[in-house]
Amino acid sequence: MPDSTVTVVGNLTRDPEIRYTTGGAAKASFGMAVSRRWQNRQSQEWEEQTSFFNVVCWREMAENVSESLGKGSRVVVTGRLEQRSWETENGEKRSVVEIVADEVGPSLRWATAQVTRNERRGGGDFGGGGGGGGTGGGGGGGSRPAPAAAAAGESTYDDFGEEPF
């Protein structure tokens, strides 16, 4: 059965948080609020409903997202829904449904953005250019070194046993 693709448009509820797996793969996660507004036909009053989603990005996209976007940025995210389960220290079972992003971009409905293309990076290489602009600002290029823990082969990512695909 093929993957189901979802596309959502909304605002970041928090700055992207980037971590690295033991293998050095970048993972960025952020929250997103998606609001729907309509006029009630009976009362003629405006009503609104907001849904909240967690979004996960991997590798180069994770680094670009963390450098380019911030809380309040309006973005378009396309990806697939994945359920992740784990057990807490108290033995409680928990699960969450997240959007694993295939594409993330700034919404240009009420903003402009300047896009800067990065040089293609090799696997595991932390060098290369920075992220482009976004509705939350953005950064320029330049190389950046690997985080100390990732360079030393240590994990900086508490992933409940999750590995990137």
Side-chain angles (χ1 to χ4, degrees):
M1 181 160 117
D3 288 336
S4 296
T5 300
V6 296
T7 300
V8 291
V9 180
N11 293 38
L12 271 65
T13 59
R14 62 183 186 272
D15 289 337
E17 178 183 348
I18 190 163
R19 295 190 177 184
Y20 295 85
T21 65
T22 54
K27 177 187 178 185
S29 58
F30 58 89
M32 188 173 173
V34 178
S35 297
R36 185 172 74 95
R37 188 173 172 200
W38 68 96
Q39 190 171 24
N40 184 316
R41 291 189 175 142
Q42 266 73 41
S43 67
Q44 299 302 310
E45 297 288 322
W46 286 99
E47 297 182 18
E48 186 171 340
Q49 177 184 10
T50 303
S51 299
F52 296 91
F53 298 95
N54 290 322
V55 180
V56 175
C57 306
W58 288 99
R59 297 182 181 77
E60 290 85 5
M61 182 174 24
E63 292 179 342
N64 292 340
V65 162
S66 70
E67 292 173 13
S68 303
L69 301 175
K71 180 178 178 178
S73 298
R74 187 162 181 84
V75 295
V76 179
V77 174
T78 300
R80 66 185 183 282
L81 297 175
E82 277 194 6
Q83 183 173 4
R84 182 169 56 90
S85 300
W86 70 95
E87 194 170 308
T88 67
E89 293 176 3
N90 300 335
E92 300 170 338
K93 294 185 187 296
R94 301 278 173 95
S95 68
V96 65
V97 175
E98 301 171 317
I99 299 173
V100 177
D102 293 323
E103 298 285 340
V104 176
S107 170
L108 301 180
R109 187 170 185 181
W110 295 299
T112 61
Q114 183 176 348
V115 178
T116 303
R117 185 177 178 143
N118 291 342
E119 289 184 29
R120 186 143 180 130
R121 301 177 194 176
D125 180 14
F126 288 89
T135 55
S143 263
R144 74 180 182 82
E154 300 173 17
S155 175
T156 59
Y157 174 56
D158 182 15
D159 62 1
F160 304 106
E162 181 181 2
E163 285 296 321
F165 43 90

